[in-house]
Amino acid sequence: MVPLPPPAPVGCSRRAFLAASAGLALLAAGCTSGSPDAPAVSTEEADRLAEQVTVQEAVVAAYAAATTADPALALSDLAAQATDQLDRLRAAAPSSTSSPAASSSAAPAAPPGGDVRTWLREQVAGAAVSHAAACARQTGARAALLGSIAAGLRGHEAALA
């Protein structure tokens, strides 16, 4: 008796599926990026984002104040992350006219002789709450940015505990 050929595969191969998925992703990206029908940022949204720049400036200033008040605290990594977050917020809100000089007066001074770590954790937690609340009133990439920064600050809060 002659052996039968193996049955033909049902459906599509994994390679064909991946190729089709990649093609669809490229098509979708090409259709949506830079769309002239995308809603413009409202003045209200821009103003709220600029307010969050001020909130993040206060966080950066709080890290500087905490480091000055207690140089033994190892905060350089967290402070650098907070500064990076501020840079990303400023880039997303180009109408923001905040300056580094303004950020130095945005946060209250760390308590002299007090628990600097707890004070800083409270400053960071307040900023995280503010960013999360503002996230709900933004759209698109601005909402994602604020949500990401809020989550990052929650991580800072946990690291400071």
Side-chain angles (χ1 to χ4, degrees), residues 108-124:
D115 186 2
V116 176
R117 185 176 287 273
T118 299
W119 171 83
L120 180 59
R121 187 173 64 241
E122 291 168 356
Q123 301 299 310
V124 168

Side-chain angles (χ1 to χ4, degrees), residues 19 26 32 59 84 88 100 129 137 144 147 151 160:
L26 289 172
T32 59
V59 171
D84 181 54
R88 289 187 296 154
V129 168
R137 299 181 319 213
L160 291 167

Side-chain angles (χ1 to χ4, degrees), residues 12-69:
C12 64
S13 69
R14 185 175 358 178
R15 185 175 294 172
F17 177 75
L18 290 173
S21 297
L24 283 174
L26 289 172
L27 178 65
C31 290
T32 59
S33 83
S35 173
D37 298 332
V41 179
S42 71
T43 303
E44 187 176 303
E45 278 184 311
D47 291 345
R48 284 192 295 242
L49 194 59
E51 290 171 9
Q52 295 311 300
V53 169
T54 303
V55 169
Q56 192 64 25
E57 286 174 340
V59 171
V60 171
Y63 272 107
T67 301
T68 300

